[in-house]
Amino acid sequence: MNPLQVYGWNEELFRQKQNSNYKDFLCGQLTVTHKTCQEIVSETEHYACELTENMLYGSEVSEYPCTGDWVLQEAF
C-alpha cells in the first residue's frame, strides 16, 4: 500500500502521473504551509522545503502551492 493513500492518493492520480513527463518524480502532498516554507509528506518521508526564487518573485501569491496540493519532486 502506498502511504499517500491515507491522504487521498488514488489510481487516477497515479495514472495521471505515469502519463506525464514527470513519471520518474517523487510525489507528495503539502501538509502544512507557512509563508515561504512547506511541510510535505511523500511516499517515503516527511520533509520541509522552501519556494524557489522563481516561484517567490515570478508568481502571484495566489499561485503559491497551498495545504492539500499534490506536488512532484525530482529525486536527488
Side-chain angles (χ1 to χ4, degrees), residues 7 29-33 38-41 46-47 66-69:
Y7 297 93
Q29 188 175 54
L30 293 176
T31 56
V32 178
T33 304
Q38 289 82 30
E39 293 178 28
I40 296 174
V41 60
H46 289 88
Y47 55 93
C66 60
T67 301
D69 284 351

Side-chain angles (χ1 to χ4, degrees), residues 22-27 44-45 47 72-76:
Y22 307 103
K23 64 182 174 188
D24 296 326
F25 284 36
L26 299 173
C27 59
T44 58
E45 64 183 315
Y47 55 93
L72 296 172
Q73 171 191 316
E74 192 170 10
F76 296 102

Side-chain angles (χ1 to χ4, degrees), residues 52-63:
T52 64
E53 287 187 22
N54 283 347
M55 179 64 84
L56 279 174
Y57 303 112
S59 303
E60 297 293 323
V61 173
S62 63
E63 297 176 303

Side-chain angles (χ1 to χ4, degrees), residues 4-55:
L4 292 177
Q5 287 177 320
V6 172
Y7 297 93
W9 186 257
N10 58 41
E11 285 298 316
E12 177 60 27
L13 292 169
F14 176 76
R15 269 193 301 281
Q16 287 178 21
K17 180 184 162 210
Q18 292 306 105
N19 292 329
S20 75
N21 293 331
Y22 307 103
K23 64 182 174 188
D24 296 326
F25 284 36
L26 299 173
C27 59
Q29 188 175 54
L30 293 176
T31 56
V32 178
T33 304
H34 305 286
K35 185 173 181 177
T36 61
C37 182
Q38 289 82 30
E39 293 178 28
I40 296 174
V41 60
S42 75
E43 298 169 73
T44 58
E45 64 183 315
H46 289 88
Y47 55 93
C49 67
E50 293 186 40
L51 295 176
T52 64
E53 287 187 22
N54 283 347
M55 179 64 84

